[in-house]
Amino acid sequence: MRIGELASAGGLSTKAIRFYEQAGLLAPPPRTSGGYREYPPQAATRLAFIRDAQSAGLTLAEIRGVLALRDSGEAPCAHVGDLIEQHLADIEQRLAELRKTRTALRDLARRAADTDPSTCTDADICSILTRP
């Protein structure tokens, strides 16, 4: 299948497919005598996997590692499980940081609501953001 057909089948642009080739995620296909790329049917499956892995939050480097394991004949399930656990831990940490930031912003919002601008002095830059 040619690059345009593959792009249509995978819901991607031809530019994205070329990028995945350059990034080492998709092997360069053989070319026809006219110089056109001729992709094997399994290229569509590989592109679908790449898209699904990106949707799950995996980086291109992580996806490349998973594909390298599969291409070497090894089942990447344990590696993928480790990546997912790592991403979950990162998200949990970010959520904790966001909760802490939300609490601080709520406190500042209350201070802002209680602040009378006429009581601010020239020495203050902003009494809302200045620690009491």
Side-chain angles (χ1 to χ4, degrees):
M1 116 179 39
R2 297 225 173 121
I3 194 167
E5 295 169 310
L6 182 60
S8 293
L12 297 166
S13 67
T14 56
K15 186 176 180 179
I17 293 172
R18 287 187 196 102
F19 172 78
Y20 289 146
E21 280 182 40
Q22 290 173 342
L25 299 170
L26 188 63
R31 295 197 178 246
T32 65
S33 59
Y36 293 103
R37 290 172 166 92
E38 189 65 39
Y39 290 90
Q42 61 268 29
T45 303
R46 193 169 180 107
L47 286 174
F49 170 78
I50 293 167
R51 284 186 31 196
D52 291 345
Q54 283 183 301
S55 294
L58 272 63
T59 66
L60 293 180
E62 291 168 335
I63 295 168
R64 189 179 305 108
V66 172
L67 291 170
L69 286 172
R70 172 50 70 199
D71 292 344
S72 72
E74 187 178 333
C77 301
H79 180 65
V80 169
D82 290 343
L83 289 172
I84 290 169
E85 289 298 324
Q86 182 180 28
H87 280 267
L88 280 171
D90 291 344
I91 287 172
E92 292 297 332
Q93 180 180 352
R94 283 188 276 168
L95 286 170
E97 291 167 359
L98 286 170
R99 284 190 289 275
K100 186 177 176 180
T101 301
R102 180 181 59 195
T103 299
L105 287 171
R106 284 181 174 161
D107 290 344
L108 289 171
R110 282 192 281 288
R111 286 177 62 186
D114 294 341
T115 298
D116 179 1
S118 67
T119 62
C120 293
T121 67
D122 290 340
D124 292 328
I125 295 174
C126 177
S127 62
I128 298 167
L129 295 175
T130 304
R131 294 177 194 216

PDB file of all heavy atoms in Angstrom, residues 41-73:
ATOM      1  N   PRO A  41       1.129  -4.617   4.700  1.00  0.00           N
ATOM      2  CA  PRO A  41      -0.109  -4.478   5.470  1.00  0.00           C
ATOM      3  C   PRO A  41       0.119  -4.278   6.973  1.00  0.00           C
ATOM      4  O   PRO A  41      -0.634  -3.561   7.630  1.00  0.00           O
ATOM      5  CB  PRO A  41      -0.861  -5.779   5.208  1.00  0.00           C
ATOM      6  CG  PRO A  41      -0.283  -6.312   3.942  1.00  0.00           C
ATOM      7  CD  PRO A  41       1.139  -5.830   3.896  1.00  0.00           C
ATOM      8  N   GLN A  42       1.159  -4.879   7.535  1.00  0.00           N
ATOM      9  CA  GLN A  42       1.399  -4.755   8.973  1.00  0.00           C
ATOM     10  C   GLN A  42       1.830  -3.341   9.378  1.00  0.00           C
ATOM     11  O   GLN A  42       1.827  -3.006  10.572  1.00  0.00           O
ATOM     12  CB  GLN A  42       2.394  -5.802   9.489  1.00  0.00           C
ATOM     13  CG  GLN A  42       3.767  -5.736   8.892  1.00  0.00           C
ATOM     14  CD  GLN A  42       3.937  -6.614   7.667  1.00  0.00           C
ATOM     15  OE1 GLN A  42       2.990  -6.871   6.929  1.00  0.00           O
ATOM     16  NE2 GLN A  42       5.143  -7.068   7.429  1.00  0.00           N
ATOM     17  N   ALA A  43       2.150  -2.478   8.431  1.00  0.00           N
ATOM     18  CA  ALA A  43       2.501  -1.094   8.761  1.00  0.00           C
ATOM     19  C   ALA A  43       1.300  -0.369   9.371  1.00  0.00           C
ATOM     20  O   ALA A  43       1.456   0.448  10.279  1.00  0.00           O
ATOM     21  CB  ALA A  43       3.002  -0.364   7.525  1.00  0.00           C
ATOM     22  N   ALA A  44       0.099  -0.689   8.908  1.00  0.00           N
ATOM     23  CA  ALA A  44      -1.110  -0.066   9.456  1.00  0.00           C
ATOM     24  C   ALA A  44      -1.300  -0.473  10.917  1.00  0.00           C
ATOM     25  O   ALA A  44      -1.659   0.355  11.765  1.00  0.00           O
ATOM     26  CB  ALA A  44      -2.330  -0.446   8.624  1.00  0.00           C
ATOM     27  N   THR A  45      -1.032  -1.729  11.222  1.00  0.00           N
ATOM     28  CA  THR A  45      -1.135  -2.215  12.605  1.00  0.00           C
ATOM     29  C   THR A  45      -0.111  -1.524  13.489  1.00  0.00           C
ATOM     30  O   THR A  45      -0.411  -1.106  14.617  1.00  0.00           O
ATOM     31  CB  THR A  45      -0.919  -3.744  12.643  1.00  0.00           C
ATOM     32  OG1 THR A  45      -1.880  -4.363  11.792  1.00  0.00           O
ATOM     33  CG2 THR A  45      -1.037  -4.284  14.053  1.00  0.00           C
ATOM     34  N   ARG A  46       1.085  -1.361  12.979  1.00  0.00           N
ATOM     35  CA  ARG A  46       2.151  -0.703  13.744  1.00  0.00           C
ATOM     36  C   ARG A  46       1.806   0.761  14.000  1.00  0.00           C
ATOM     37  O   ARG A  46       1.997   1.267  15.101  1.00  0.00           O
ATOM     38  CB  ARG A  46       3.472  -0.831  12.984  1.00  0.00           C
ATOM     39  CG  ARG A  46       4.681  -0.464  13.795  1.00  0.00           C
ATOM     40  CD  ARG A  46       5.931  -0.875  13.041  1.00  0.00           C
ATOM     41  NE  ARG A  46       7.134  -0.562  13.745  1.00  0.00           N
ATOM     42  CZ  ARG A  46       7.923  -1.443  14.340  1.00  0.00           C
ATOM     43  NH1 ARG A  46       7.621  -2.725  14.320  1.00  0.00           N
ATOM     44  NH2 ARG A  46       9.016  -1.058  14.940  1.00  0.00           N
ATOM     45  N   LEU A  47       1.278   1.451  13.005  1.00  0.00           N
ATOM     46  CA  LEU A  47       0.877   2.847  13.181  1.00  0.00           C
ATOM     47  C   LEU A  47      -0.252   2.972  14.203  1.00  0.00           C
ATOM     48  O   LEU A  47      -0.259   3.897  15.011  1.00  0.00           O
ATOM     49  CB  LEU A  47       0.465   3.462  11.846  1.00  0.00           C
ATOM     50  CG  LEU A  47       1.606   3.791  10.892  1.00  0.00           C
ATOM     51  CD1 LEU A  47       1.054   4.254   9.552  1.00  0.00           C
ATOM     52  CD2 LEU A  47       2.539   4.826  11.476  1.00  0.00           C
ATOM     53  N   ALA A  48      -1.188   2.045  14.167  1.00  0.00           N
ATOM     54  CA  ALA A  48      -2.284   2.067  15.145  1.00  0.00           C
ATOM     55  C   ALA A  48      -1.722   1.884  16.555  1.00  0.00           C
ATOM     56  O   ALA A  48      -2.148   2.558  17.499  1.00  0.00           O
ATOM     57  CB  ALA A  48      -3.306   0.980  14.823  1.00  0.00           C
ATOM     58  N   PHE A  49      -0.738   0.990  16.693  1.00  0.00           N
ATOM     59  CA  PHE A  49      -0.111   0.795  17.996  1.00  0.00           C
ATOM     60  C   PHE A  49       0.578   2.075  18.457  1.00  0.00           C
ATOM     61  O   PHE A  49       0.455   2.475  19.617  1.00  0.00           O
ATOM     62  CB  PHE A  49       0.917  -0.353  17.958  1.00  0.00           C
ATOM     63  CG  PHE A  49       1.738  -0.399  19.213  1.00  0.00           C
ATOM     64  CD1 PHE A  49       1.225  -0.942  20.375  1.00  0.00           C
ATOM     65  CD2 PHE A  49       3.011   0.172  19.242  1.00  0.00           C
ATOM     66  CE1 PHE A  49       1.971  -0.945  21.549  1.00  0.00           C
ATOM     67  CE2 PHE A  49       3.759   0.174  20.412  1.00  0.00           C
ATOM     68  CZ  PHE A  49       3.237  -0.387  21.561  1.00  0.00           C
ATOM     69  N   ILE A  50       1.301   2.727  17.569  1.00  0.00           N
ATOM     70  CA  ILE A  50       2.006   3.963  17.919  1.00  0.00           C
ATOM     71  C   ILE A  50       1.012   5.015  18.408  1.00  0.00           C
ATOM     72  O   ILE A  50       1.232   5.657  19.437  1.00  0.00           O
ATOM     73  CB  ILE A  50       2.833   4.476  16.718  1.00  0.00           C
ATOM     74  CG1 ILE A  50       3.977   3.515  16.415  1.00  0.00           C
ATOM     75  CG2 ILE A  50       3.357   5.888  16.982  1.00  0.00           C
ATOM     76  CD1 ILE A  50       4.663   3.753  15.071  1.00  0.00           C
ATOM     77  N   ARG A  51      -0.077   5.161  17.698  1.00  0.00           N
ATOM     78  CA  ARG A  51      -1.095   6.133  18.107  1.00  0.00           C
ATOM     79  C   ARG A  51      -1.695   5.774  19.463  1.00  0.00           C
ATOM     80  O   ARG A  51      -1.884   6.630  20.321  1.00  0.00           O
ATOM     81  CB  ARG A  51      -2.190   6.234  17.048  1.00  0.00           C
ATOM     82  CG  ARG A  51      -1.734   7.021  15.840  1.00  0.00           C
ATOM     83  CD  ARG A  51      -2.801   7.279  14.836  1.00  0.00           C
ATOM     84  NE  ARG A  51      -4.119   7.404  15.421  1.00  0.00           N
ATOM     85  CZ  ARG A  51      -5.245   7.339  14.731  1.00  0.00           C
ATOM     86  NH1 ARG A  51      -5.220   7.163  13.446  1.00  0.00           N
ATOM     87  NH2 ARG A  51      -6.402   7.448  15.326  1.00  0.00           N
ATOM     88  N   ASP A  52      -2.006   4.498  19.661  1.00  0.00           N
ATOM     89  CA  ASP A  52      -2.574   4.058  20.945  1.00  0.00           C
ATOM     90  C   ASP A  52      -1.581   4.284  22.087  1.00  0.00           C
ATOM     91  O   ASP A  52      -1.966   4.721  23.178  1.00  0.00           O
ATOM     92  CB  ASP A  52      -2.974   2.588  20.887  1.00  0.00           C
ATOM     93  CG  ASP A  52      -4.167   2.329  19.978  1.00  0.00           C
ATOM     94  OD1 ASP A  52      -4.866   3.296  19.608  1.00  0.00           O
ATOM     95  OD2 ASP A  52      -4.375   1.145  19.626  1.00  0.00           O
ATOM     96  N   ALA A  53      -0.318   3.993  21.840  1.00  0.00           N
ATOM     97  CA  ALA A  53       0.701   4.168  22.872  1.00  0.00           C
ATOM     98  C   ALA A  53       0.876   5.650  23.211  1.00  0.00           C
ATOM     99  O   ALA A  53       1.032   6.007  24.382  1.00  0.00           O
ATOM    100  CB  ALA A  53       2.025   3.551  22.415  1.00  0.00           C
ATOM    101  N   GLN A  54       0.833   6.496  22.201  1.00  0.00           N
ATOM    102  CA  GLN A  54       0.915   7.933  22.463  1.00  0.00           C
ATOM    103  C   GLN A  54      -0.300   8.403  23.260  1.00  0.00           C
ATOM    104  O   GLN A  54      -0.167   9.228  24.167  1.00  0.00           O
ATOM    105  CB  GLN A  54       1.004   8.719  21.153  1.00  0.00           C
ATOM    106  CG  GLN A  54       2.380   8.674  20.517  1.00  0.00           C
ATOM    107  CD  GLN A  54       2.447   9.516  19.263  1.00  0.00           C
ATOM    108  OE1 GLN A  54       1.696   9.289  18.321  1.00  0.00           O
ATOM    109  NE2 GLN A  54       3.340  10.486  19.260  1.00  0.00           N
ATOM    110  N   SER A  55      -1.462   7.878  22.934  1.00  0.00           N
ATOM    111  CA  SER A  55      -2.679   8.244  23.672  1.00  0.00           C
ATOM    112  C   SER A  55      -2.585   7.831  25.135  1.00  0.00           C
ATOM    113  O   SER A  55      -3.173   8.473  26.007  1.00  0.00           O
ATOM    114  CB  SER A  55      -3.913   7.595  23.044  1.00  0.00           C
ATOM    115  OG  SER A  55      -4.136   8.118  21.762  1.00  0.00           O
ATOM    116  N   ALA A  56      -1.856   6.772  25.397  1.00  0.00           N
ATOM    117  CA  ALA A  56      -1.664   6.305  26.773  1.00  0.00           C
ATOM    118  C   ALA A  56      -0.594   7.112  27.500  1.00  0.00           C
ATOM    119  O   ALA A  56      -0.358   6.888  28.685  1.00  0.00           O
ATOM    120  CB  ALA A  56      -1.292   4.826  26.780  1.00  0.00           C
ATOM    121  N   GLY A  57       0.052   8.038  26.796  1.00  0.00           N
ATOM    122  CA  GLY A  57       1.042   8.899  27.423  1.00  0.00           C
ATOM    123  C   GLY A  57       2.484   8.472  27.240  1.00  0.00           C
ATOM    124  O   GLY A  57       3.386   9.100  27.806  1.00  0.00           O
ATOM    125  N   LEU A  58       2.729   7.429  26.477  1.00  0.00           N
ATOM    126  CA  LEU A  58       4.103   6.997  26.257  1.00  0.00           C
ATOM    127  C   LEU A  58       4.804   7.967  25.309  1.00  0.00           C
ATOM    128  O   LEU A  58       4.194   8.496  24.381  1.00  0.00           O
ATOM    129  CB  LEU A  58       4.157   5.586  25.668  1.00  0.00           C
ATOM    130  CG  LEU A  58       4.174   4.436  26.683  1.00  0.00           C
ATOM    131  CD1 LEU A  58       2.910   4.392  27.503  1.00  0.00           C
ATOM    132  CD2 LEU A  58       4.392   3.127  25.976  1.00  0.00           C
ATOM    133  N   THR A  59       6.073   8.198  25.574  1.00  0.00           N
ATOM    134  CA  THR A  59       6.875   9.054  24.714  1.00  0.00           C
ATOM    135  C   THR A  59       7.309   8.262  23.488  1.00  0.00           C
ATOM    136  O   THR A  59       7.246   7.018  23.475  1.00  0.00           O
ATOM    137  CB  THR A  59       8.132   9.552  25.445  1.00  0.00           C
ATOM    138  OG1 THR A  59       8.991   8.423  25.710  1.00  0.00           O
ATOM    139  CG2 THR A  59       7.782  10.267  26.750  1.00  0.00           C
ATOM    140  N   LEU A  60       7.784   8.978  22.484  1.00  0.00           N
ATOM    141  CA  LEU A  60       8.265   8.286  21.287  1.00  0.00           C
ATOM    142  C   LEU A  60       9.455   7.391  21.616  1.00  0.00           C
ATOM    143  O   LEU A  60       9.571   6.292  21.069  1.00  0.00           O
ATOM    144  CB  LEU A  60       8.629   9.288  20.195  1.00  0.00           C
ATOM    145  CG  LEU A  60       7.463  10.070  19.595  1.00  0.00           C
ATOM    146  CD1 LEU A  60       7.953  11.026  18.512  1.00  0.00           C
ATOM    147  CD2 LEU A  60       6.393   9.148  19.032  1.00  0.00           C
ATOM    148  N   ALA A  61      10.304   7.823  22.522  1.00  0.00           N
ATOM    149  CA  ALA A  61      11.445   6.987  22.923  1.00  0.00           C
ATOM    150  C   ALA A  61      10.962   5.700  23.600  1.00  0.00           C
ATOM    151  O   ALA A  61      11.505   4.612  23.347  1.00  0.00           O
ATOM    152  CB  ALA A  61      12.369   7.770  23.850  1.00  0.00           C
ATOM    153  N   GLU A  62       9.957   5.816  24.446  1.00  0.00           N
ATOM    154  CA  GLU A  62       9.411   4.618  25.108  1.00  0.00           C
ATOM    155  C   GLU A  62       8.755   3.699  24.094  1.00  0.00           C
ATOM    156  O   GLU A  62       8.917   2.469  24.158  1.00  0.00           O
ATOM    157  CB  GLU A  62       8.415   5.040  26.186  1.00  0.00           C
ATOM    158  CG  GLU A  62       9.074   5.722  27.369  1.00  0.00           C
ATOM    159  CD  GLU A  62       8.097   6.400  28.315  1.00  0.00           C
ATOM    160  OE1 GLU A  62       6.972   6.765  27.875  1.00  0.00           O
ATOM    161  OE2 GLU A  62       8.447   6.586  29.489  1.00  0.00           O
ATOM    162  N   ILE A  63       8.035   4.283  23.154  1.00  0.00           N
ATOM    163  CA  ILE A  63       7.390   3.478  22.111  1.00  0.00           C
ATOM    164  C   ILE A  63       8.450   2.774  21.269  1.00  0.00           C
ATOM    165  O   ILE A  63       8.304   1.585  20.948  1.00  0.00           O
ATOM    166  CB  ILE A  63       6.473   4.357  21.240  1.00  0.00           C
ATOM    167  CG1 ILE A  63       5.315   4.912  22.081  1.00  0.00           C
ATOM    168  CG2 ILE A  63       5.954   3.584  20.036  1.00  0.00           C
ATOM    169  CD1 ILE A  63       4.519   6.020  21.407  1.00  0.00           C
ATOM    170  N   ARG A  64       9.513   3.482  20.958  1.00  0.00           N
ATOM    171  CA  ARG A  64      10.607   2.880  20.185  1.00  0.00           C
ATOM    172  C   ARG A  64      11.177   1.682  20.931  1.00  0.00           C
ATOM    173  O   ARG A  64      11.464   0.641  20.334  1.00  0.00           O
ATOM    174  CB  ARG A  64      11.696   3.921  19.919  1.00  0.00           C
ATOM    175  CG  ARG A  64      12.754   3.465  18.941  1.00  0.00           C
ATOM    176  CD  ARG A  64      13.832   4.525  18.671  1.00  0.00           C
ATOM    177  NE  ARG A  64      13.264   5.786  18.217  1.00  0.00           N
ATOM    178  CZ  ARG A  64      13.205   6.908  18.957  1.00  0.00           C
ATOM    179  NH1 ARG A  64      13.687   6.928  20.185  1.00  0.00           N
ATOM    180  NH2 ARG A  64      12.683   8.009  18.467  1.00  0.00           N
ATOM    181  N   GLY A  65      11.317   1.798  22.257  1.00  0.00           N
ATOM    182  CA  GLY A  65      11.824   0.687  23.056  1.00  0.00           C
ATOM    183  C   GLY A  65      10.892  -0.516  23.040  1.00  0.00           C
ATOM    184  O   GLY A  65      11.340  -1.662  22.934  1.00  0.00           O
ATOM    185  N   VAL A  66       9.590  -0.254  23.130  1.00  0.00           N
ATOM    186  CA  VAL A  66       8.604  -1.344  23.079  1.00  0.00           C
ATOM    187  C   VAL A  66       8.669  -2.038  21.720  1.00  0.00           C
ATOM    188  O   VAL A  66       8.688  -3.274  21.632  1.00  0.00           O
ATOM    189  CB  VAL A  66       7.176  -0.805  23.349  1.00  0.00           C
ATOM    190  CG1 VAL A  66       6.129  -1.881  23.093  1.00  0.00           C
ATOM    191  CG2 VAL A  66       7.066  -0.272  24.770  1.00  0.00           C
ATOM    192  N   LEU A  67       8.721  -1.244  20.671  1.00  0.00           N
ATOM    193  CA  LEU A  67       8.781  -1.814  19.320  1.00  0.00           C
ATOM    194  C   LEU A  67      10.075  -2.600  19.103  1.00  0.00           C
ATOM    195  O   LEU A  67      10.064  -3.648  18.442  1.00  0.00           O
ATOM    196  CB  LEU A  67       8.639  -0.714  18.270  1.00  0.00           C
ATOM    197  CG  LEU A  67       7.257  -0.061  18.198  1.00  0.00           C
ATOM    198  CD1 LEU A  67       7.290   1.174  17.307  1.00  0.00           C
ATOM    199  CD2 LEU A  67       6.207  -1.052  17.719  1.00  0.00           C
ATOM    200  N   ALA A  68      11.170  -2.111  19.673  1.00  0.00           N
ATOM    201  CA  ALA A  68      12.444  -2.823  19.536  1.00  0.00           C
ATOM    202  C   ALA A  68      12.367  -4.191  20.207  1.00  0.00           C
ATOM    203  O   ALA A  68      12.880  -5.178  19.664  1.00  0.00           O
ATOM    204  CB  ALA A  68      13.584  -1.998  20.130  1.00  0.00           C
ATOM    205  N   LEU A  69      11.727  -4.248  21.369  1.00  0.00           N
ATOM    206  CA  LEU A  69      11.550  -5.549  22.028  1.00  0.00           C
ATOM    207  C   LEU A  69      10.733  -6.490  21.152  1.00  0.00           C
ATOM    208  O   LEU A  69      11.093  -7.651  20.962  1.00  0.00           O
ATOM    209  CB  LEU A  69      10.865  -5.370  23.383  1.00  0.00           C
ATOM    210  CG  LEU A  69      11.714  -4.789  24.505  1.00  0.00           C
ATOM    211  CD1 LEU A  69      10.851  -4.482  25.721  1.00  0.00           C
ATOM    212  CD2 LEU A  69      12.836  -5.751  24.876  1.00  0.00           C
ATOM    213  N   ARG A  70       9.615  -5.983  20.630  1.00  0.00           N
ATOM    214  CA  ARG A  70       8.749  -6.809  19.792  1.00  0.00           C
ATOM    215  C   ARG A  70       9.493  -7.261  18.534  1.00  0.00           C
ATOM    216  O   ARG A  70       9.428  -8.411  18.127  1.00  0.00           O
ATOM    217  CB  ARG A  70       7.484  -6.032  19.425  1.00  0.00           C
ATOM    218  CG  ARG A  70       6.592  -6.710  18.407  1.00  0.00           C
ATOM    219  CD  ARG A  70       6.248  -8.146  18.704  1.00  0.00           C
ATOM    220  NE  ARG A  70       5.359  -8.290  19.828  1.00  0.00           N
ATOM    221  CZ  ARG A  70       5.204  -9.423  20.508  1.00  0.00           C
ATOM    222  NH1 ARG A  70       5.862 -10.496  20.153  1.00  0.00           N
ATOM    223  NH2 ARG A  70       4.398  -9.473  21.528  1.00  0.00           N
ATOM    224  N   ASP A  71      10.237  -6.316  17.924  1.00  0.00           N
ATOM    225  CA  ASP A  71      10.968  -6.645  16.691  1.00  0.00           C
ATOM    226  C   ASP A  71      12.060  -7.674  16.919  1.00  0.00           C
ATOM    227  O   ASP A  71      12.426  -8.418  16.012  1.00  0.00           O
ATOM    228  CB  ASP A  71      11.564  -5.377  16.067  1.00  0.00           C
ATOM    229  CG  ASP A  71      10.507  -4.430  15.528  1.00  0.00           C
ATOM    230  OD1 ASP A  71       9.336  -4.855  15.349  1.00  0.00           O
ATOM    231  OD2 ASP A  71      10.840  -3.244  15.300  1.00  0.00           O
ATOM    232  N   SER A  72      12.572  -7.748  18.167  1.00  0.00           N
ATOM    233  CA  SER A  72      13.605  -8.738  18.477  1.00  0.00           C
ATOM    234  C   SER A  72      13.000 -10.091  18.823  1.00  0.00           C
ATOM    235  O   SER A  72      13.719 -11.035  19.135  1.00  0.00           O
ATOM    236  CB  SER A  72      14.489  -8.242  19.622  1.00  0.00           C
ATOM    237  OG  SER A  72      13.771  -8.278  20.852  1.00  0.00           O
ATOM    238  N   GLY A  73      11.667 -10.161  18.811  1.00  0.00           N
ATOM    239  CA  GLY A  73      10.998 -11.419  19.084  1.00  0.00           C
ATOM    240  C   GLY A  73      10.552 -11.583  20.526  1.00  0.00           C
ATOM    241  O   GLY A  73       9.986 -12.604  20.903  1.00  0.00           O
TER     242      GLY A  73
END
